[in-house]
Coordinates of all heavy atoms in Angstrom, one line a residue:
M27 N -58.3 -84.5 -8.4 CA -57.6 -83.6 -7.5 C -58.7 -82.6 -6.9 O -59.5 -82.1 -7.7 CB -56.5 -82.9 -8.3 CG -55.9 -81.8 -7.5 SD -54.6 -80.9 -8.4 CE -55.3 -80.5 -9.9
A28 N -58.6 -82.5 -5.7 CA -59.5 -81.7 -5.0 C -58.8 -80.8 -4.0 O -57.9 -81.4 -3.4 CB -60.7 -82.4 -4.3
D29 N -59.2 -79.6 -3.8 CA -58.5 -78.8 -2.8 C -58.8 -79.3 -1.4 O -59.9 -79.8 -1.0 CB -59.1 -77.3 -2.8 CG -58.6 -76.6 -4.1 OD1 -57.6 -77.0 -4.7 OD2 -59.2 -75.6 -4.5
D30 N -57.7 -79.3 -0.5 CA -57.8 -79.7 0.8 C -58.3 -81.1 1.1 O -59.0 -81.4 2.1 CB -58.7 -78.7 1.6 CG -58.1 -77.3 1.5 OD1 -56.9 -77.1 1.6 OD2 -58.9 -76.4 1.4
Q31 N -58.0 -82.0 0.2 CA -58.4 -83.4 0.3 C -57.2 -84.2 0.5 O -56.2 -84.1 -0.2 CB -59.2 -83.9 -0.8 CG -59.7 -85.3 -0.7 CD -60.6 -85.7 -1.8 OE1 -60.8 -85.1 -2.8 NE2 -61.2 -86.9 -1.6
C32 N -57.1 -85.2 1.5 CA -56.1 -86.0 1.7 C -56.5 -87.5 1.4 O -57.6 -87.7 1.1 CB -55.7 -86.0 3.2 SG -55.2 -84.4 3.8
L33 N -55.5 -88.4 1.3 CA -55.8 -89.7 0.9 C -56.8 -90.3 1.9 O -57.7 -91.1 1.6 CB -54.5 -90.6 0.9 CG -54.7 -92.1 0.9 CD1 -55.3 -92.5 -0.5 CD2 -53.4 -92.8 1.1
G34 N -56.7 -90.0 3.2 CA -57.6 -90.5 4.2 C -59.0 -90.1 4.0 O -59.9 -90.6 4.7
D35 N -59.3 -89.1 3.2 CA -60.6 -88.6 2.9 C -61.4 -89.4 1.8 O -62.5 -89.0 1.5 CB -60.5 -87.1 2.5 CG -60.1 -86.2 3.6 OD1 -60.1 -86.7 4.8 OD2 -59.7 -85.1 3.3
M36 N -60.8 -90.4 1.3 CA -61.5 -91.3 0.4 C -62.2 -92.4 1.0 O -61.8 -92.9 2.1 CB -60.4 -91.8 -0.6 CG -59.6 -90.8 -1.3 SD -60.5 -89.7 -2.4 CE -60.8 -90.7 -3.8
A37 N -63.3 -92.8 0.5 CA -64.1 -93.8 1.0 C -63.3 -95.2 1.1 O -63.5 -95.9 2.0 CB -65.4 -94.0 0.3
Y38 N -62.6 -95.5 0.0 CA -61.8 -96.8 0.0 C -60.7 -96.8 1.1 O -60.3 -97.9 1.4 CB -61.3 -97.1 -1.4 CG -60.2 -96.2 -1.9 CD1 -58.9 -96.4 -1.5 CD2 -60.4 -95.2 -2.8 CE1 -57.8 -95.6 -1.9 CE2 -59.4 -94.3 -3.2 CZ -58.1 -94.6 -2.8 OH -57.1 -93.8 -3.3
A39 N -60.4 -95.6 1.6 CA -59.4 -95.6 2.6 C -60.0 -95.5 4.1 O -59.4 -95.4 5.1 CB -58.5 -94.3 2.5
G40 N -61.4 -95.7 4.1 CA -62.1 -95.8 5.3 C -62.7 -94.6 5.8 O -63.3 -94.6 7.0
Y41 N -62.8 -93.6 5.0 CA -63.5 -92.3 5.5 C -65.0 -92.4 5.1 O -65.3 -92.5 4.0 CB -62.9 -91.1 4.7 CG -63.3 -89.8 5.2 CD1 -63.0 -89.3 6.4 CD2 -64.2 -89.0 4.4 CE1 -63.3 -88.1 6.9 CE2 -64.6 -87.8 4.8 CZ -64.2 -87.3 6.1 OH -64.6 -86.1 6.6
P42 N -65.8 -92.4 6.2 CA -67.3 -92.7 6.0 C -68.1 -91.5 5.5 O -69.2 -91.7 5.0 CB -67.7 -93.1 7.4 CG -66.9 -92.4 8.3 CD -65.5 -92.4 7.6
M43 N -67.5 -90.3 5.6 CA -68.3 -89.1 5.3 C -68.3 -88.8 3.8 O -69.2 -88.0 3.4 CB -67.8 -87.9 6.0 CG -67.7 -88.2 7.6 SD -69.3 -88.4 8.2 CE -70.0 -86.8 8.2
L44 N -67.5 -89.3 3.0 CA -67.4 -89.0 1.5 C -67.6 -90.2 0.7 O -67.0 -91.2 0.9 CB -66.1 -88.3 1.3 CG -65.8 -87.8 -0.1 CD1 -66.7 -86.7 -0.5 CD2 -64.3 -87.4 -0.2
K45 N -68.5 -90.1 -0.2 CA -68.8 -91.2 -1.1 C -68.0 -91.1 -2.4 O -68.1 -90.0 -3.1 CB -70.3 -91.3 -1.5 CG -71.3 -91.4 -0.3 CD -71.0 -92.5 0.4 CE -71.9 -92.6 1.7 NZ -71.4 -93.4 2.7
T46 N -67.1 -92.0 -2.7 CA -66.2 -92.0 -3.9 C -66.4 -93.3 -4.6 O -65.4 -94.1 -4.7 CB -64.8 -91.7 -3.4 OG1 -64.4 -92.7 -2.5 CG2 -64.7 -90.3 -2.8
P47 N -67.5 -93.6 -5.3 CA -67.8 -94.9 -5.9 C -66.7 -95.2 -7.0 O -66.3 -96.3 -7.2 CB -69.2 -94.8 -6.4 CG -69.5 -93.4 -6.5 CD -68.7 -92.7 -5.5
N48 N -66.4 -94.2 -7.8 CA -65.5 -94.5 -9.0 C -64.1 -94.8 -8.4 O -63.4 -95.7 -8.9 CB -65.4 -93.3 -9.9 CG -66.8 -93.1 -10.6 OD1 -67.5 -94.1 -10.9 ND2 -67.1 -91.9 -10.9
F49 N -63.6 -94.1 -7.4 CA -62.3 -94.4 -6.8 C -62.3 -95.7 -6.1 O -61.4 -96.5 -6.1 CB -61.9 -93.2 -5.9 CG -61.4 -92.0 -6.6 CD1 -62.3 -90.9 -6.6 CD2 -60.2 -92.0 -7.3 CE1 -61.8 -89.8 -7.2 CE2 -59.8 -90.8 -7.9 CZ -60.6 -89.7 -7.9
D50 N -63.5 -96.0 -5.4 CA -63.6 -97.3 -4.7 C -63.5 -98.5 -5.7 O -62.8 -99.5 -5.4 CB -64.9 -97.4 -4.0 CG -65.1 -96.3 -3.0 OD1 -64.1 -95.7 -2.6 OD2 -66.3 -96.1 -2.5
E51 N -64.1 -98.3 -6.9 CA -64.1 -99.4 -7.9 C -62.6 -99.6 -8.4 O -62.2 -100.7 -8.6 CB -65.0 -99.0 -9.1 CG -65.2 -100.1 -10.0 CD -66.2 -99.8 -11.1 OE1 -67.1 -99.0 -10.9 OE2 -66.1 -100.4 -12.2
T52 N -61.9 -98.6 -8.7 CA -60.6 -98.7 -9.2 C -59.6 -99.2 -8.1 O -58.7 -100.0 -8.4 CB -60.0 -97.3 -9.8 OG1 -60.0 -96.4 -8.7 CG2 -60.8 -96.8 -11.0
A53 N -59.9 -98.8 -6.8 CA -59.1 -99.4 -5.8 C -59.3 -100.9 -5.6 O -58.3 -101.6 -5.2 CB -59.5 -98.7 -4.5
L54 N -60.4 -101.4 -6.0 CA -60.6 -102.9 -5.9 C -59.7 -103.6 -6.9 O -59.3 -104.8 -6.6 CB -62.1 -103.3 -6.3 CG -63.1 -102.9 -5.3 CD1 -64.5 -103.2 -5.8 CD2 -62.9 -103.7 -4.0
V55 N -59.2 -103.0 -8.0 CA -58.3 -103.6 -8.9 C -56.9 -103.2 -8.7 O -56.0 -103.2 -9.6 CB -58.8 -103.5 -10.4 CG1 -60.1 -104.2 -10.7 CG2 -58.8 -102.0 -10.7
D56 N -56.6 -102.7 -7.5 CA -55.3 -102.2 -7.1 C -54.8 -101.0 -7.9 O -53.5 -100.8 -8.1 CB -54.2 -103.3 -7.3 CG -54.5 -104.5 -6.4 OD1 -55.0 -104.3 -5.3 OD2 -54.2 -105.6 -6.8
L57 N -55.6 -100.1 -8.2 CA -55.3 -98.8 -8.8 C -55.7 -97.7 -7.8 O -56.8 -97.3 -7.8 CB -55.9 -98.6 -10.2 CG -55.6 -97.2 -10.9 CD1 -54.1 -97.1 -11.1 CD2 -56.3 -97.1 -12.1
C58 N -54.8 -97.3 -7.0 CA -55.0 -96.2 -6.0 C -54.2 -95.0 -6.3 O -53.1 -95.1 -6.6 CB -54.7 -96.8 -4.6 SG -55.7 -98.1 -4.1
F59 N -54.8 -93.8 -6.2 CA -54.1 -92.6 -6.5 C -53.7 -92.1 -5.1 O -54.4 -91.2 -4.5 CB -55.1 -91.6 -7.2 CG -55.5 -92.1 -8.5 CD1 -56.7 -92.8 -8.6 CD2 -54.7 -92.0 -9.6 CE1 -57.2 -93.3 -9.9 CE2 -55.1 -92.4 -10.9 CZ -56.4 -93.1 -11.0
D60 N -52.5 -92.5 -4.6 CA -52.1 -92.1 -3.3 C -50.7 -91.6 -3.3 O -50.1 -91.5 -2.2 CB -52.2 -93.4 -2.4 CG -51.3 -94.5 -2.9 OD1 -50.8 -94.5 -3.9 OD2 -51.3 -95.5 -2.1
R61 N -50.2 -91.2 -4.4 CA -48.8 -90.6 -4.5 C -48.7 -89.2 -5.2 O -48.0 -89.0 -6.1 CB -47.8 -91.5 -5.2 CG -47.8 -92.9 -4.6 CD -47.1 -92.8 -3.2 NE -45.8 -93.4 -3.3 CZ -44.9 -93.2 -2.4 NH1 -45.1 -92.4 -1.4 NH2 -43.7 -93.7 -2.5
F62 N -49.6 -88.4 -4.8 CA -49.7 -87.0 -5.5 C -49.0 -86.1 -4.6 O -49.2 -86.0 -3.4 CB -51.1 -86.6 -5.6 CG -51.3 -85.3 -6.4 CD1 -51.2 -85.3 -7.8 CD2 -51.5 -84.1 -5.7 CE1 -51.3 -84.1 -8.4 CE2 -51.6 -82.9 -6.3 CZ -51.6 -82.9 -7.7
Q63 N -48.1 -85.2 -5.2 CA -47.4 -84.2 -4.6 C -47.8 -82.9 -5.0 O -47.8 -82.6 -6.3 CB -45.9 -84.4 -4.8 CG -45.3 -85.7 -4.3 CD -45.3 -85.7 -2.8 OE1 -45.0 -84.7 -2.1 NE2 -45.6 -86.9 -2.3
A64 N -48.3 -82.0 -4.1 CA -48.8 -80.7 -4.6 C -47.5 -79.8 -4.9 O -46.5 -79.9 -4.3 CB -49.5 -80.0 -3.5
A65 N -47.6 -79.0 -5.9 CA -46.5 -78.2 -6.3 C -46.4 -76.9 -5.5 O -45.3 -76.3 -5.4 CB -46.7 -77.6 -7.8
A66 N -47.4 -76.5 -4.7 CA -47.3 -75.3 -3.9 C -48.4 -75.4 -2.8 O -49.2 -76.4 -2.8 CB -47.5 -74.1 -4.8
L67 N -48.4 -74.4 -1.9 CA -49.4 -74.4 -0.9 C -50.8 -74.0 -1.3 O -51.7 -74.1 -0.6 CB -48.9 -73.6 0.3 CG -47.6 -74.1 1.0 CD1 -47.2 -73.1 2.0 CD2 -47.8 -75.4 1.5
V68 N -50.9 -73.4 -2.5 CA -52.1 -72.8 -3.0 C -52.5 -73.6 -4.3 O -51.6 -74.3 -4.9 CB -52.1 -71.3 -3.3 CG1 -52.0 -70.6 -1.9 CG2 -51.0 -70.9 -4.1
C69 N -53.7 -73.5 -4.7 CA -54.2 -74.3 -5.8 C -53.7 -74.0 -7.2 O -53.4 -74.9 -7.9 CB -55.7 -74.4 -5.8 SG -56.5 -72.8 -5.9
S70 N -53.7 -72.7 -7.6 CA -53.3 -72.4 -8.9 C -52.0 -72.9 -9.4 O -51.9 -73.5 -10.5 CB -53.4 -70.9 -9.1 OG -54.6 -70.4 -8.9
P71 N -50.9 -72.8 -8.6 CA -49.6 -73.4 -9.1 C -49.7 -74.9 -9.2 O -49.1 -75.5 -10.1 CB -48.7 -73.0 -8.0 CG -49.2 -71.8 -7.3 CD -50.7 -72.0 -7.4
T72 N -50.4 -75.6 -8.4 CA -50.6 -77.0 -8.5 C -51.3 -77.4 -9.7 O -50.9 -78.3 -10.4 CB -51.2 -77.6 -7.2 OG1 -50.4 -77.3 -6.0 CG2 -51.4 -79.1 -7.3
H73 N -52.4 -76.7 -10.0 CA -53.1 -76.9 -11.2 C -52.2 -76.7 -12.5 O -52.3 -77.5 -13.4 CB -54.3 -76.0 -11.3 CG -55.4 -76.4 -10.3 ND1 -56.4 -75.5 -9.9 CD2 -55.5 -77.4 -9.4 CE1 -57.1 -76.1 -9.0 NE2 -56.6 -77.2 -8.6
A74 N -51.5 -75.6 -12.4 CA -50.5 -75.4 -13.6 C -49.6 -76.4 -13.8 O -49.2 -76.8 -14.9 CB -49.9 -74.0 -13.4
R75 N -49.0 -77.0 -12.7 CA -48.1 -78.1 -12.8 C -48.7 -79.3 -13.4 O -48.1 -80.1 -14.1 CB -47.5 -78.4 -11.4 CG -46.6 -79.5 -11.3 CD -45.2 -79.1 -11.2 NE -44.3 -80.2 -11.3 CZ -43.4 -80.6 -10.4 NH1 -43.3 -79.9 -9.3 NH2 -42.6 -81.6 -10.6
V76 N -49.9 -79.6 -12.9 CA -50.6 -80.8 -13.4 C -50.9 -80.7 -14.9 O -50.8 -81.6 -15.6 CB -51.9 -81.1 -12.6 CG1 -52.7 -82.2 -13.3 CG2 -51.5 -81.6 -11.2
L77 N -51.4 -79.5 -15.3 CA -51.8 -79.2 -16.6 C -50.5 -79.3 -17.6 O -50.7 -79.7 -18.8 CB -52.5 -78.0 -16.8 CG -53.8 -77.8 -16.2 CD1 -54.4 -76.4 -16.2 CD2 -54.8 -78.8 -17.1
T78 N -49.4 -78.8 -17.2 CA -48.2 -78.7 -18.1 C -47.1 -79.7 -17.8 O -46.3 -80.0 -18.7 CB -47.6 -77.3 -18.0 OG1 -47.1 -77.1 -16.6 CG2 -48.6 -76.3 -18.3
G79 N -47.0 -80.3 -16.6 CA -46.0 -81.1 -16.2 C -44.7 -80.4 -15.9 O -43.6 -81.0 -15.9
R80 N -44.7 -79.1 -15.8 CA -43.5 -78.3 -15.7 C -43.5 -77.6 -14.2 O -44.5 -77.4 -13.5 CB -43.5 -77.1 -16.7 CG -43.4 -77.7 -18.1 CD -43.1 -76.6 -19.0 NE -43.1 -77.1 -20.4 CZ -42.0 -77.5 -21.0 NH1 -40.8 -77.5 -20.5 NH2 -42.0 -77.8 -22.2
Y81 N -42.3 -77.2 -13.8 CA -42.1 -76.5 -12.6 C -42.7 -75.1 -12.6 O -43.0 -74.5 -13.7 CB -40.6 -76.4 -12.2 CG -40.0 -77.7 -11.9 CD1 -39.2 -78.3 -12.8 CD2 -40.2 -78.3 -10.7 CE1 -38.6 -79.6 -12.5 CE2 -39.7 -79.6 -10.3 CZ -38.9 -80.2 -11.3 OH -38.3 -81.4 -10.9
L82 N -43.0 -74.5 -11.4 CA -43.6 -73.3 -11.2 C -42.8 -72.2 -12.0 O -43.5 -71.3 -12.6 CB -43.7 -72.9 -9.8 CG -44.5 -73.9 -8.9 CD1 -44.5 -73.5 -7.5 CD2 -45.8 -74.2 -9.5
N83 N -41.5 -72.2 -11.9 CA -40.7 -71.1 -12.5 C -41.0 -71.1 -14.0 O -40.9 -70.1 -14.7 CB -39.2 -71.3 -12.3 CG -38.9 -70.9 -10.8 OD1 -39.7 -70.3 -10.1 ND2 -37.7 -71.4 -10.4
R84 N -41.2 -72.3 -14.6 CA -41.5 -72.4 -16.1 C -42.8 -71.9 -16.4 O -43.0 -71.2 -17.4 CB -41.3 -73.8 -16.5 CG -41.4 -74.1 -18.0 CD -40.3 -73.6 -18.7 NE -40.5 -73.6 -20.1 CZ -39.8 -74.5 -20.9 NH1 -38.9 -75.2 -20.4 NH2 -40.0 -74.5 -22.2
T85 N -43.9 -72.3 -15.6 CA -45.2 -71.9 -15.9 C -45.5 -70.4 -15.6 O -46.4 -69.8 -16.2 CB -46.3 -72.7 -15.2 OG1 -46.1 -72.6 -13.8 CG2 -46.1 -74.2 -15.5
G86 N -44.9 -69.9 -14.6 CA -45.1 -68.5 -14.2 C -46.2 -68.3 -13.3 O -46.7 -67.2 -13.0
V87 N -46.7 -69.5 -12.7 CA -47.9 -69.4 -11.8 C -47.4 -69.6 -10.4 O -47.0 -70.7 -10.1 CB -48.9 -70.4 -12.2 CG1 -50.1 -70.3 -11.2 CG2 -49.4 -70.3 -13.6
F88 N -47.3 -68.5 -9.6 CA -46.8 -68.6 -8.3 C -47.8 -68.4 -7.2 O -47.6 -68.7 -6.0 CB -45.7 -67.6 -8.0 CG -44.6 -67.7 -9.0 CD1 -44.4 -66.9 -10.1 CD2 -43.7 -68.8 -8.8 CE1 -43.4 -67.1 -11.0 CE2 -42.6 -68.9 -9.7 CZ -42.4 -68.1 -10.8
Q89 N -49.0 -67.9 -7.5 CA -50.1 -67.7 -6.5 C -51.4 -67.8 -7.2 O -51.5 -68.0 -8.4 CB -49.9 -66.4 -5.8 CG -49.8 -65.2 -6.8 CD -49.5 -63.9 -5.9 OE1 -49.8 -63.8 -4.9 NE2 -48.8 -62.9 -6.6
W90 N -52.4 -67.5 -6.5 CA -53.9 -67.6 -7.0 C -54.0 -66.7 -8.2 O -53.5 -65.6 -8.3 CB -54.8 -67.1 -6.0 CG -55.0 -68.1 -4.7 CD1 -55.4 -69.3 -4.8 CD2 -54.6 -67.8 -3.4 NE1 -55.4 -69.9 -3.5 CE2 -54.9 -68.9 -2.7 CE3 -54.1 -66.7 -2.8 CZ2 -54.6 -69.0 -1.3 CZ3 -53.8 -66.7 -1.4 CH2 -54.2 -67.9 -0.7
E91 N -54.9 -67.2 -9.1 CA -55.4 -66.5 -10.3 C -54.3 -65.9 -11.2 O -54.5 -65.0 -12.0 CB -56.3 -65.3 -9.8 CG -57.5 -65.8 -9.1 CD -58.4 -64.7 -8.7 OE1 -58.1 -63.5 -9.0 OE2 -59.4 -65.0 -8.0
H92 N -53.1 -66.5 -11.2 CA -52.1 -66.1 -12.2 C -52.3 -67.1 -13.4 O -52.4 -68.3 -13.2 CB -50.7 -66.3 -11.6 CG -50.2 -65.2 -10.9 ND1 -48.9 -64.7 -10.9 CD2 -50.9 -64.4 -10.0 CE1 -48.8 -63.7 -10.1 NE2 -49.9 -63.5 -9.5
P93 N -52.3 -66.6 -14.6 CA -52.4 -67.5 -15.8 C -51.1 -68.2 -16.1 O -50.1 -67.7 -15.8 CB -52.8 -66.5 -16.9 CG -52.2 -65.2 -16.4 CD -52.2 -65.2 -14.9
I94 N -51.3 -69.3 -16.8 CA -50.1 -70.0 -17.3 C -49.5 -69.1 -18.4 O -50.3 -68.5 -19.2 CB -50.5 -71.3 -17.9 CG1 -51.0 -72.3 -16.7 CG2 -49.3 -72.0 -18.6 CD1 -51.5 -73.6 -17.2
R95 N -48.2 -69.1 -18.5 CA -47.5 -68.3 -19.6 C -48.0 -68.8 -20.9 O -48.1 -70.0 -21.2 CB -46.0 -68.4 -19.5 CG -45.4 -67.8 -18.3 CD -43.9 -68.0 -18.3 NE -43.3 -69.1 -18.9 CZ -42.6 -69.0 -20.1 NH1 -42.4 -67.9 -20.7 NH2 -42.1 -70.1 -20.6
P96 N -48.4 -67.9 -21.9 CA -48.9 -68.3 -23.2 C -48.0 -69.3 -23.9 O -48.6 -70.1 -24.7 CB -49.0 -66.9 -23.9 CG -49.2 -65.9 -22.9 CD -48.4 -66.4 -21.7
P97 N -46.7 -69.2 -23.9 CA -45.9 -70.2 -24.7 C -46.0 -71.7 -24.2 O -45.7 -72.6 -24.9 CB -44.5 -69.7 -24.6 CG -44.5 -68.4 -24.0 CD -45.8 -68.3 -23.3
E98 N -46.6 -71.9 -23.0 CA -46.7 -73.2 -22.4 C -47.8 -74.0 -23.0 O -48.8 -73.5 -23.3 CB -46.9 -73.2 -20.8 CG -45.7 -72.6 -20.1 CD -44.5 -73.3 -20.3 OE1 -44.5 -74.6 -20.4 OE2 -43.4 -72.7 -20.4
T99 N -47.5 -75.3 -23.3 CA -48.5 -76.2 -23.9 C -48.9 -77.1 -22.8 O -48.1 -77.7 -22.0 CB -47.8 -77.0 -25.0 OG1 -47.3 -76.1 -25.9 CG2 -48.8 -77.9 -25.6
T100 N -50.3 -77.3 -22.7 CA -50.8 -78.2 -21.7 C -50.8 -79.6 -22.2 O -50.7 -79.8 -23.4 CB -52.2 -77.8 -21.3 OG1 -53.1 -78.0 -22.4 CG2 -52.3 -76.4 -20.8
I101 N -51.0 -80.5 -21.3 CA -51.0 -81.9 -21.7 C -52.3 -82.2 -22.6 O -52.1 -83.0 -23.6 CB -51.0 -82.8 -20.5 CG1 -49.7 -82.7 -19.7 CG2 -51.4 -84.3 -20.8 CD1 -49.7 -83.4 -18.4
V102 N -53.4 -81.6 -22.3 CA -54.5 -81.7 -23.2 C -54.3 -81.2 -24.6 O -54.7 -81.9 -25.6 CB -55.7 -80.9 -22.5 CG1 -56.9 -81.0 -23.5 CG2 -56.1 -81.6 -21.2
E103 N -53.6 -80.1 -24.8 CA -53.3 -79.6 -26.1 C -52.4 -80.6 -26.8 O -52.5 -80.7 -28.0 CB -52.6 -78.2 -26.0 CG -53.6 -77.1 -25.5 CD -52.9 -75.8 -25.2 OE1 -51.7 -75.9 -24.7 OE2 -53.5 -74.7 -25.3
S104 N -51.5 -81.2 -26.1 CA -50.6 -82.2 -26.7 C -51.3 -83.4 -27.2 O -50.9 -84.0 -28.3 CB -49.5 -82.6 -25.7 OG -48.6 -81.5 -25.4
L105 N -52.3 -83.8 -26.5 CA -53.1 -85.0 -26.8 C -54.0 -84.7 -28.0 O -54.3 -85.5 -28.8 CB -53.8 -85.5 -25.6 CG -53.0 -86.1 -24.6 CD1 -53.9 -86.5 -23.4 CD2 -52.1 -87.3 -25.0

């Protein structure tokens, strides 16, 4: 996940300006990451959603630099 990057910005999708060798290799075996939905217009709420799998109201992250609520468990912590 990168800020301001679209599917068309990947080398395997035909974008010549960005080198994405790892994504290109996985795309060869039919594993493409092309169905990502951002949780908000800014990055922090989207990152919180990816880290916890929960909606913004649950994480408490609505704009930049807001921390995730302490009771929330991230996917990494669960693993």
